[in-house]
């Protein structure tokens, strides 16, 4: 199973995160399948590669809670077909 989750980067006390598609059994810093976005909580900046994210979601990838919140803010789920939409 594939998940969309955050991978920590940056330095001490100055974390930035990559949004990656990664196998569930991998650890947080493990080998990712594909980098699909970037999130900087200090500057509150988000970059999302929406076509790739939609492709992973259509194939059954599950976003973690934090990634789902970021995708909701960017209104990515509105671009999914209605039968693919997953609501909590």
């Amino acid at each position: 199973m594939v998940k969309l989750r955050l991978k920590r980067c940056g330095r001490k006390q100055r974390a930035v995160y990559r949004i990656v598609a990664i196998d569930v059994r991998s650890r947080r810093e493990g080998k990712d399948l594909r980098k699909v976005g970037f999130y900087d909580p200090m500057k509150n900046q988000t970059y999302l590669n929406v076509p790739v994210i939609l492709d992973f979601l259509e194939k059954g990838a599950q976003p973690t809670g934090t990634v789902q919140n970021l995708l909701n803010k960017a209104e990515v789920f509105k671009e999914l077909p209605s039968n693919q939409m997953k609501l909590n």
Side-chain angles (χ1 to χ4, degrees):
M1 178 183 211
V2 175
K3 279 205 175 236
L4 298 175
R5 67 183 187 198
L6 298 175
K7 186 174 187 179
R8 191 179 197 275
C9 302
R11 60 179 200 250
K12 195 173 13 171
Q13 300 296 318
R14 185 68 180 93
V16 292
Y17 298 92
R18 284 189 185 130
I19 302 169
V20 297
I22 194 167
D23 186 40
V24 173
R25 296 166 291 193
S26 297
R27 56 179 210 229
R28 183 185 70 184
E29 308 303 333
K31 179 87 170 133
D32 51 76
L33 300 173
R34 179 130 189 221
K35 295 172 183 70
V36 296
F38 178 82
Y39 173 58
D40 186 352
M42 300 295 253
K43 296 180 183 175
N44 202 17
Q45 291 179 334
T46 306
Y47 165 76
L48 300 171
N49 190 346
V50 177
V52 175
I53 291 172
L54 290 175
D55 185 45
F56 274 108
L57 290 173
E58 287 171 358
K59 291 179 182 175
Q62 297 292 316
T64 60
T66 306
V67 173
Q68 186 164 3
N69 290 340
L70 292 172
L71 296 178
N72 281 335
K73 284 182 186 176
E75 299 180 349
V76 172
F77 291 115
K78 290 184 179 178
E79 298 179 30
L80 274 177
S82 60
N83 61 347
Q84 291 288 329
M85 191 173 291
K86 297 176 178 82
L87 301 173
N88 280 343

